[in-house]
Amino acid sequence: MNLESPKINVGKSSQEVFDFLSDIKNFESLMPENISKFEVLSEDTFLFALKGMPEIVLKKKEVIPPNKIILGAAGGKLDFSLIGNIQEVNESSSEVQLEFNGDFNPMMAMMIKGPISKFIETLATSIPKSI
């Protein structure tokens, strides 16, 4: 299952956006209002939970400065990744798109497609306000 957020214009350079997303503590400011838990476990791992959903642990898997950050599920039953793609528009502006990739059975995919789409859209639209 592949889902993409809309492309979001950010009034910061691609390096500034990359640096912001590289610090996992900053993800707390991007989370939707219905977050019930956020905890930094290490410098590259954090845990979060949305109301009514199980806790999810994300770990920074790969960084390609200043254009890509890949977070992946750390443990748990679901295997997925959250990719932040950053494109420079000019020196003081960039475009960010979040991508969710996961391998789920069709029933699970049908159940989570809506909530995950809304979640990555919320994360992406929160980036310009949070930086």
Side-chain angles (χ1 to χ4, degrees):
M1 180 169 80
N2 296 340
L3 302 171
E4 294 179 344
S5 74
K7 289 184 177 178
I8 304 296
N9 287 317
V10 182
K12 301 283 183 182
S13 72
S14 56
Q15 186 65 52
E16 287 175 285
V17 175
F18 177 84
D19 292 345
F20 178 82
L21 293 177
S22 292
D23 185 348
I24 58 148
K25 292 188 292 288
N26 291 330
F27 276 86
E28 185 170 15
S29 66
L30 304 178
M31 291 289 161
E33 290 178 11
N34 65 337
I35 187 167
S36 60
K37 185 173 188 177
F38 186 92
E39 191 178 321
V40 175
L41 303 176
S42 72
E43 71 179 31
D44 63 354
T45 309
F46 68 94
L47 172 151
F48 73 95
L50 303 175
K51 288 186 178 94
M53 302 283 282
E55 291 181 354
I56 296 172
V57 179
L58 282 176
K59 180 177 180 61
K60 203 183 316 176
K61 300 279 188 180
E62 187 178 350
V63 291
I64 304 164
N67 302 105
K68 186 177 277 197
I69 295 173
I70 301 172
L71 302 173
K77 295 182 177 105
L78 303 177
D79 185 27
F80 66 90
S81 60
L82 180 64
I83 302 162
N85 293 305
I86 307 160
Q87 283 191 308
E88 188 166 298
V89 175
N90 57 44
E91 285 180 17
S92 62
S93 180
S94 54
E95 206 170 58
V96 180
Q97 183 175 40
L98 298 180
E99 194 179 321
F100 176 91
N101 295 319
D103 192 15
F104 306 108
N105 68 46
M107 183 69 174
M108 176 69 89
M110 193 174 73
M111 286 172 41
I112 66 172
K113 184 177 183 178
I116 296 292
S117 294
K118 190 173 188 316
F119 176 69
I120 64 171
E121 184 176 335
T122 299
L123 291 180
T125 55
S126 296
I127 291 170
K129 299 175 225 155
S130 298
I131 286 187

